[in-house]
Amino acid sequence: IEPLTEALLEKDKFQQNGTAVYALPTFFHKFPEAFPVLFRSVLSRKNGPSFSLEVLQALMSILKQARKLGLIDGSFIFPNEPDLSNTVLEVLELSSRVWEEEVRFNSLEFITLGRKSTEDVQSQELAQLQLFLLRNLKVSSSSFRSRVSVTLQKFMVRLKEAARKRFVTAQNLLKKTKKISAESTLDFSGEKEVSFLNWVADLLVKNMYPGAPFQRKNLALTLYLNALVDVWSPSSSSFIGCDSKFLFDAYPPRTSPKEHNSSLPSLEMFSEDKKLLLVDTLWDNYDSNRQTALEILLRVEFSAGGVEERKMLGENGLLATALDDLSSSRARESDSAALFLLMTYLKFVNAKDWKPSLSLASKSNASLLDGPASVGFVKELNRLLSEAYEKNSLVRNNDTLVQPLHGILLAIRYVISRTDFAKEQTNPTNRGHWVEILKELLAQLSEISQRCLALVSSAAPEGLFPPSAADEEQPTQPTQPDDADDADEDDEMSQGQIRAINTWLAIKEVCLLLGALLQYLPLPSSENGESLLREDQIKDIGDELMNILLNSKHKGALGKAYLAFCQVCESLFRANVSSLLRFTKIWMEKLLEMVREGQDNMVTRRSAGLPFGILAILRAEAKLRKSRNVLIPFAINQLVEVASTPITDYSNQNAIPSKVHSLNVLRAIYQDTILGEAVNPFIVPGYKEVINAYNSPHWAISNSANLTFSALLGRTVSNRRAGDPSLWMSKIPTSSLFFSRYPELFNFFLQVLSNPKSNTKSLYPVLVLLSRLAPPISGSSDSQEKWDTSPFVSIIVKTALNSSDFQVRETAARALVGVVEKAQIRKHVDSLDYSLLRSLSQERLFNHKFSHNQLHATLLQHLFLLQSLSRPSSGEDGESSAVLKIKTEIFHELFPKLEALFEGALNGCGCFALVSLVLDLFSYFLKSPPQLSPEHTICALPILRQLLFSPQIRDWIQQPMSSLSLKKASDLLGGVALKEGRLFEEQFGVGSGFEDIRRLLEHEQSDVRSAVLSLLLKGASAKEFRVDFLKETLKNRVFVERDFGCLKRIFKLLLFV
């Protein structure tokens, strides 16, 4: 008991949870009588009358596991121990309102658990569940809301199954008793369930009030859908568990046509007022709430001729409001109206054959139209679209939309997405109507897109708007009374902006509707016979979307056109009909021809829609044809050919855009994960053409090459990410493995690096790639790790020494790490020392322009190779002693040279690029594990003090990288002084390191003061040391400090004194 109690009260959540999940069930199964003993043992650990969070968590874990094993039932009573029963209720009450989500959820699980799915529900369970819901309907965690919804749904299924079991038992008993007495009645009582369900439904509906916080309303709607509608709705075809009609028959709602017995309660979960409130929720501010409300309304029954039907569809009802909002410029209002029309279509038009006549004038009268109700409804929507577009046609000399169309287009798309076209196509009557509807709709969509493209394809759309509304002919408007108020907020908004919004939203909806037509309509095939869409119409849809893709300069329109074109291509590949598949080949050839022609109007936005169009076709083929890819190799080969074509005639205006387009499309292809293995055969030619393109004198080509190289790097080498390096370093291939995968790149990279004509532009990407690879593994048994990368070593060293570019030297040093085996690092460092000594002996005063570059390159190679030496590889946890030995040897050999170099740099020419690099090497030796001994650290202190406290510092501060060097030196000196100061003083008699801290805090350069203050603040916050010894220094600095950042850090530090 005692060890288990300690484990349950462990603050480590992982250990505590493991004990509760694995140890407790085994313990209770073996010793069920120990349940109250363990409960009392944990209870005794509370502090006085209050419960700590750990105690509550442990108690709830015990109760939950005991409930699972049946050691305590739904009455929550300990047999013969009433004091513990009261404690259980107290713990439940506290656990349901603590801040820790896991404790609250454990309390819910304890309340709702049952050993059997038909276990009867106790009144105590219902009471505690009511208390939990009252306290937890507004929670910010989406995962907690989801878990509560699933748990409550399971409980509702158990509640229904238990009631159903009692009902069946009562029915069987009635059959037996009727044989004895004909006056026998059904002995079934479900008032407990009815009362609870009504209470839950009322509570959830009350939390859907207008303006309710999102968390509260979202959870209420989710619970209403999952726990009430999905489980209890008698009209739902997909209810969970047994049929619930028995309870509605026994306790019919007041709206039921059956005679209602007023002495019995009525089941009012889905009453008219609740359904009307859910309809109002369709106008909520959040998309998820609107969609959830729609799903609820689609699964509940509306009574024929009921109040809710009259309020929604009658004159001046909600349908009139929806038609008004359908023509709103606000996307949320038009979306709500479209959802309402979708509900009307599914619940009244389809289900009850209701034939509406819709009008934008907010009048709705039921009328008998020709054809079935569903066809008539879509015809009415088409008529609304036509009328709204005609109003825009009245405005001359303007290519924007005065009358919004996106709401009607959205409503048509919603209706099409929920229509069973397989059934409609087999009905000869309906088929003729749909063919006519689709023909009119496609013609209308083509006109709308052509009108909108004038704005969407314009680089300066503001120039399309007239200076004032008076300059154009407006539709007739009713006369305003003389005492009318001034224009409201919408009228004050620029009319041009409103029209631009209408146009952008309309073109997006046109794209999505075109894509939906091919996604939901059956396509022509040998199996389904004649289709609702002809082949020429299908091609026109694809051509229309390509036209929008290739001409749009609006990012939103491009994105929606791309999604729609993906749907079109996927539908054609899914149909797998040769006459339809040829369209994808035609579109691909057209797009590739545009790449070759190099139309320069698409150079903006990474070649605009060209990559989108090509990628949509290739993604569809990769998804649906798997290994039978034809267009993918065809397209990539064509693009590589265009990218590799040299530009001989720069007077040709299309030559440069053509190359840019090919590189941009290749970038999109290499970035896409759907294409997967299909792209791997084209990695090598892609690298070759991209690296060659770096040499282009034109910025557009080299910029596209840079972006494509980045995409290739991400596909072939794992991208470096923030956070724990071990999470992504394990995915980085070694240089041997990389070249075994792409052997053709080995000689190509060697050629680029060794070619004297190669400029910095082409050298840099090769060095970057090599720097991103892991070092080869020596002695590996893997055949792929046998590739010898040693030929790169001498070439990279030579490249670094001969380069005058700072970035190339640094990248070359990093690249060297990727091609040198770890076992060869010591040998290679020895070979670098000669170059360093030669530079120092020949150019001691550092007056030759290449000496600095060569020294810089050599020191960089030292630094990165040493850092690689200290970085543990897989399976090398126990090598720190060997690394420390090598590190100590190199320190003794290298330190005198670094010291001489440091002094020479300061006294000679003051090259702070070298000073900064020497400080990095000092930092490596003094701070990186494994640590050197304190006597080694002392060697660096005089050099650091010489730099920081030199009287020449004012002459240095204006030089490049001097500020960075001072920051590094102050950080290094401050760190050494804080961690090793007392040790130095005790063992070596050196002056206290704390004196260095005081001098740094009083330094004349604010960068130095800021660096050491940050170091102090970090250590004090982590409680690594106390800063009481600096109390007087910090107080004095408050009155003289002029740098705001330093002053802020001083005040924070004083909090720790």
Side-chain angles (χ1 to χ4, degrees):
I1 294 294
E2 189 63 26
L4 196 57
T5 302
E6 295 293 337
L8 286 171
L9 293 172
E10 178 66 43
K11 290 187 178 181
D12 184 352
K13 290 185 178 180
F14 182 79
Q15 182 174 341
Q16 194 276 340
N17 185 62
T19 304
V21 173
Y22 300 107
L24 274 182
T26 307
F27 179 76
F28 285 152
H29 183 76
K30 187 70 175 177
F31 309 106
E33 69 280 1
F35 165 46
V37 182
L38 181 61
F39 189 85
R40 287 185 184 277
S41 175
V42 174
L43 194 62
S44 64
R45 302 300 183 93
K46 68 175 185 176
N47 299 322
S50 62
F51 290 83
S52 67
L53 184 62
E54 289 78 13
V55 172
L56 276 179
Q57 175 80 356
L59 290 174
M60 286 311 310
S61 298
I62 294 171
L63 289 172
K64 187 174 75 170
Q65 295 299 336
R67 183 74 193 280
K68 284 183 177 180
L69 297 172
L71 302 180
I72 184 171
D73 60 13
S75 61
F76 308 151
I77 295 176
F78 279 83
N80 304 321
E81 299 192 52
D83 58 327
L84 285 185
S85 301
N86 294 331
T87 304
V88 169
L89 297 180
E90 182 184 3
V91 169
L92 272 179
E93 192 272 337
L94 291 172
S95 300
S96 64
R97 56 185 172 90
V98 296
W99 61 269
E100 178 62 40
E101 289 181 359
E102 197 60 37
V103 179
R104 279 184 287 159
F105 185 71
N106 281 343
S107 69
L108 175 63
E109 282 196 311
F110 171 70
I111 294 168
T112 58
L113 278 173
R115 295 199 72 187
K116 297 180 180 180
S117 61
T118 58
E119 181 182 334
D120 203 15
V121 177
Q122 305 287 334
S123 300
Q124 188 65 255
E125 292 178 86
L126 298 180
Q128 291 298 324
L129 185 55
Q130 287 175 332
L131 184 64
F132 178 88
L133 290 175
L134 284 170
R135 290 174 170 174
N136 290 277
L137 273 180
K138 184 184 177 183
V139 286
S140 58
S141 171
S142 60
S143 62
F144 184 78
R145 294 198 298 267
S146 176
R147 294 165 72 190
V148 168
S149 174
V150 172
T151 304
L152 192 59
Q153 185 185 69
K154 293 179 181 178
F155 176 78
M156 287 295 187
V157 172
R158 176 183 152 218
L159 183 69
K160 182 173 67 169
E161 296 285 352
R164 175 71 178 175
K165 181 180 178 181
R166 298 201 319 271
F167 178 77
V168 172
T169 303
Q171 273 189 328
N172 294 334
L173 182 62
L174 179 62
K175 291 178 182 179
K176 295 179 180 179
T177 55
K178 273 194 173 183
K179 295 178 181 179
I180 303 173
S181 173
E183 296 179 357
S184 300
T185 58
L186 184 69
D187 184 18
F188 169 73
S189 175
E191 294 184 10
K192 176 179 63 177
E193 288 82 359
V194 170
S195 176
F196 175 72
L197 291 173
N198 286 340
W199 181 89
V200 172
D202 289 338
L203 175 68
L204 297 180
V205 167
K206 287 175 182 177
N207 280 273
M208 300 176 198
Y209 60 87
F214 169 77
Q215 298 92 337
R216 182 183 296 277
K217 199 167 190 176
N218 181 264
L219 181 56
L221 284 165
T222 305
L223 291 178
Y224 199 97
L225 174 62
N226 295 339
L228 296 183
V229 176
D230 284 350
V231 178
W232 292 97
S233 177
S235 61
S236 177
S237 60
S238 59
F239 57 80
I240 301 173
C242 62
D243 196 348
S244 60
K245 289 183 180 180
F246 72 96
L247 197 61
F248 283 88
D249 292 337
Y251 300 93
R254 291 188 178 89
T255 55
S256 172
K258 298 182 180 180
E259 183 178 355
H260 180 69
N261 188 348
S262 60
S263 64
L264 293 175
S266 59
L267 193 53
E268 300 293 338
M269 276 190 298
F270 312 121
S271 58
E272 292 178 347
D273 58 332
K274 293 181 177 64
K275 284 183 278 190
L276 287 173
L277 191 140
L278 287 166
V279 172
D280 288 337
T281 309
L282 292 176
W283 274 263
D284 192 76
N285 291 331
Y286 296 95
D287 292 346
S288 60
N289 288 350
R290 296 199 296 269
Q291 291 292 338
T292 307
L294 176 67
E295 290 301 318
I296 295 173
L297 291 168
L298 294 180
R299 299 186 195 187
V300 298
E301 184 63 32
F302 288 89
S303 56
V307 176
E308 69 271 17
E309 182 175 323
R310 295 194 298 272
K311 288 185 177 180
M312 286 192 294
L313 307 180
E315 188 173 355
N316 298 323
L318 288 174
L319 181 57
T321 303
L323 290 172
D324 277 338
D325 289 345
L326 204 63
S327 58
S328 172
S329 294
R330 295 183 175 89
R332 181 184 63 80
E333 293 178 357
S334 58
D335 180 64
S336 298
L339 289 175
F340 181 86
L341 288 175
L342 175 61
M343 185 204 67
T344 304
Y345 174 74
L346 295 175
K347 298 297 292 185
F348 297 99
V349 176
N350 271 359
K352 300 181 179 180
D353 205 34
W354 182 69
K355 300 179 180 181
S357 176
L358 308 178
S359 172
L360 285 178
S362 301
K363 294 178 182 179
S364 176
N365 300 309
S367 65
L368 295 175
L369 302 177
D370 294 336
S374 59
V375 172
F377 189 82
V378 181
K379 282 185 175 181
E380 283 292 284
L381 289 176
N382 262 3
R383 182 178 61 81
L384 289 182
L385 182 63
S386 179
E387 290 178 359
Y389 185 73
E390 286 178 3
K391 292 186 178 181
N392 288 290
S393 301
L394 296 175
V395 182
R396 291 180 290 192
N397 301 324
N398 192 357
D399 292 322
T400 57
L401 298 180
V402 178
Q403 179 71 36
L405 302 178
H406 54 272
I408 308 173
L409 292 167
L410 182 60
I412 296 174
R413 179 160 63 89
Y414 282 164
V415 168
I416 286 176
S417 67
R418 295 296 188 102
T419 301
D420 186 1
F421 284 103
K423 180 180 178 181
E424 296 288 325
Q425 185 171 266
T426 58
N427 188 323
T429 305
N430 291 4
R431 186 184 176 285
H433 289 293
W434 277 109
V435 168
E436 181 183 352
I437 289 172
L438 294 173
K439 180 181 178 181
E440 294 176 359
L441 180 61
L442 289 174
Q444 191 71 64
L445 293 178
S446 179
E447 291 184 24
I448 295 172
S449 67
Q450 293 305 316
R451 184 182 183 93
C452 295
L453 271 178
L455 174 78
V456 177
S457 63
S458 175
E462 63 276 3
L464 298 176
F465 305 129
S468 67
D471 295 339
E472 42 182 280
E473 182 180 347
Q474 298 283 358
T476 304
Q477 300 289 343
T479 305
Q480 295 290 334
D482 295 337
D483 58 348
D485 295 333
D486 293 337
D488 57 12
E489 182 180 352
D490 285 346
D491 293 331
E492 293 174 359
M493 187 188 295
S494 168
Q495 291 297 316
Q497 292 178 355
I498 294 178
R499 294 174 187 177
I501 292 172
N502 294 342
T503 306
W504 287 332
L505 291 175
I507 195 68
K508 292 178 185 178
E509 286 303 326
V510 166
C511 294
L512 294 176
L513 181 50
L514 288 172
L517 288 174
L518 286 192
Q519 183 180 10
Y520 297 108
L521 268 69
L523 297 183
S525 69
S526 57
E527 297 179 359
N528 60 17
E530 197 171 357
S531 172
L532 298 177
L533 284 175
R534 302 189 309 271
E535 289 188 0
D536 61 314
Q537 290 176 321
I538 294 173
K539 185 176 184 303
D540 289 343
I541 290 174
D543 290 341
E544 192 67 51
L545 289 171
M546 278 186 53
N547 186 36
I548 297 173
L549 273 174
L550 298 175
N551 291 285
S552 176
K553 289 184 173 63
H554 184 260
K555 188 175 181 180
L558 273 174
K560 294 298 185 288
Y562 169 64
L563 291 177
F565 196 52
C566 285
Q567 293 174 337
V568 170
C569 296
E570 289 177 14
S571 299
L572 298 185
F573 278 105
R574 192 177 293 110
N576 199 22
V577 178
S578 58
S579 59
L580 298 179
L581 288 176
R582 64 186 176 89
F583 295 151
T584 58
K585 182 69 179 296
I586 293 172
W587 294 331
M588 177 62 74
E589 290 176 348
K590 179 180 178 181
L591 291 168
L592 292 175
E593 183 62 29
M594 296 184 73
V595 171
R596 283 189 288 268
E597 291 176 356
Q599 298 184 14
D600 58 358
N601 63 328
M602 289 179 291
V603 172
T604 59
R605 294 189 182 275
R606 311 290 176 230
S607 300
L610 269 176
F612 288 104
I614 293 175
L615 196 59
I617 300 173
L618 299 185
R619 282 170 64 99
E621 185 182 52
K623 279 183 180 180
L624 299 166
R625 303 203 66 172
K626 305 298 180 182
S627 59
R628 298 175 295 155
N629 296 324
V630 175
L631 293 178
I632 292 176
F634 170 74
I636 299 181
N637 283 326
Q638 292 287 315
L639 292 167
V640 170
E641 181 182 346
V642 174
S644 62
T645 303
I647 302 177
T648 56
D649 184 11
Y650 285 99
S651 62
N652 184 0
Q653 297 181 352
N654 295 332
I656 296 174
S658 175
K659 209 174 186 68
V660 170
H661 292 332
S662 62
L663 290 171
N664 287 337
V665 177
L666 285 172
R667 168 180 176 259
I669 291 173
Y670 290 132
Q671 275 185 326
D672 193 81
T673 56
I674 298 294
L675 298 179
E677 299 295 328
V679 179
N680 285 347
F682 307 97
I683 295 293
V684 171
Y687 266 123
K688 289 182 177 180
E689 299 311 324
V690 164
I691 291 173
N692 289 332
Y694 268 92
N695 293 319
S696 174
H698 296 276
W699 179 87
I701 295 177
S702 58
N703 178 61
S704 296
N706 194 35
L707 295 172
T708 310
F709 174 75
S710 178
L712 280 165
L713 205 62
R715 177 172 280 274
T716 55
V717 182
S718 178
N719 286 322
R720 299 187 180 186
R721 306 177 184 90
D724 187 2
S726 61
L727 298 178
W728 49 264
M729 286 184 65
S730 60
K731 299 180 181 179
I732 298 178
T734 64
S735 54
S736 297
L737 182 60
F738 178 83
F739 287 118
S740 66
R741 291 175 181 173
Y742 313 107
E744 295 178 29
L745 290 178
F746 186 86
N747 291 328
F748 176 72
F749 286 172
L750 284 175
Q751 181 182 357
V752 172
L753 293 175
S754 58
N755 188 356
K757 296 182 179 180
S758 296
N759 56 26
T760 301
K761 291 182 179 180
S762 60
L763 288 175
Y764 187 69
V766 175
L767 294 173
V768 166
L769 190 149
L770 294 175
S771 69
R772 302 291 289 274
L773 299 174
I777 301 176
S778 57
S780 175
S781 59
D782 190 348
S783 59
Q784 292 185 326
E785 292 287 354
K786 300 297 184 181
W787 203 281
D788 183 18
T789 57
S790 58
F792 279 102
V793 175
S794 59
I795 296 178
I796 292 176
V797 171
K798 182 179 179 182
T799 300
L801 292 175
N802 294 335
S803 177
S804 60
D805 189 288
F806 183 99
Q807 202 71 23
V808 169
R809 294 195 300 272
E810 182 174 0
T811 310
R814 294 181 185 274
L816 193 62
V817 174
V819 296
V820 175
E821 293 183 7
K822 194 171 182 179
Q824 302 296 322
I825 289 179
R826 181 72 175 93
K827 177 181 178 182
H828 188 71
V829 169
D830 291 340
S831 68
L832 292 175
D833 289 343
Y834 178 73
S835 174
L836 177 63
L837 287 171
R838 183 178 59 186
S839 299
L840 282 172
S841 60
Q842 289 181 358
E843 304 291 343
R844 185 165 297 277
L845 297 179
F846 309 101
N847 55 8
H848 192 278
K849 63 179 181 178
F850 291 107
S851 296
H852 297 131
N853 294 341
Q854 292 176 2
L855 284 171
H856 184 253
T858 304
L859 291 175
L860 280 171
Q861 293 169 47
H862 272 85
L863 176 63
F864 290 121
L865 285 172
L866 291 173
Q867 288 177 347
S868 173
L869 181 69
S870 297
R871 190 181 302 126
S873 304
S874 58
E876 296 179 345
D877 297 336
E879 207 179 64
S880 58
S881 59
V883 173
L884 178 59
K885 180 181 178 181
I886 297 176
K887 188 174 180 179
T888 306
E889 293 175 357
I890 295 177
F891 177 82
H892 285 298
E893 296 173 7
L894 196 59
F895 184 79
K897 305 167 189 175
L898 294 178
E899 187 177 18
L901 176 61
F902 192 89
E903 293 177 356
L906 292 180
N907 299 326
C909 68
C911 179
F912 279 92
L914 293 176
V915 171
S916 175
L917 193 49
V918 172
L919 290 171
D920 287 334
L921 282 163
F922 285 163
S923 179
Y924 164 76
F925 283 117
L926 303 182
K927 296 175 69 175
S928 65
Q931 303 285 356
L932 294 178
S933 61
E935 50 265 46
H936 294 104
T937 308
I938 289 178
C939 301
L941 293 179
I943 301 178
L944 296 175
R945 290 172 181 149
Q946 178 187 358
L947 172 64
L948 287 166
F949 307 125
S950 171
Q952 300 176 349
I953 195 167
R954 293 185 179 179
D955 301 329
W956 298 338
I957 200 62
Q958 302 298 326
Q959 296 186 26
M961 298 187 72
S962 59
S963 178
L964 178 63
S965 299
L966 290 175
K967 287 180 182 179
K968 289 180 179 179
S970 57
D971 180 70
L972 189 57
L973 179 60
V976 171
L978 286 171
K979 294 181 181 179
E980 308 292 348
R982 289 192 179 94
L983 184 63
F984 289 163
E985 186 176 13
E986 294 172 2
Q987 295 186 5
F988 307 104
V990 182
S992 173
F994 296 140
E995 181 61 30
D996 289 328
I997 297 294
R998 293 191 180 93
R999 293 181 66 185
L1000 290 172
L1001 288 174
E1002 296 172 355
H1003 201 278
E1004 62 181 276
Q1005 296 299 321
S1006 61
D1007 290 338
V1008 174
R1009 300 196 301 273
S1010 177
V1012 73
L1013 284 169
S1014 298
L1015 187 68
L1016 289 169
L1017 193 58
K1018 181 180 178 182
S1021 302
K1023 298 182 180 180
E1024 295 177 359
F1025 49 78
R1026 296 179 59 83
V1027 291
D1028 294 346
F1029 70 95
L1030 293 172
K1031 179 178 179 181
E1032 294 301 323
T1033 304
L1034 293 173
K1035 288 170 63 177
N1036 294 333
R1037 289 303 306 171
V1038 168
F1039 300 102
V1040 297
E1041 184 59 63
R1042 292 293 177 264
D1043 184 82
F1044 178 77
C1046 293
L1047 192 61
K1048 182 170 68 172
R1049 293 180 178 88
I1050 289 173
F1051 280 120
K1052 287 184 177 180
L1053 270 175
L1054 286 172
L1055 295 175
F1056 294 97
V1057 173

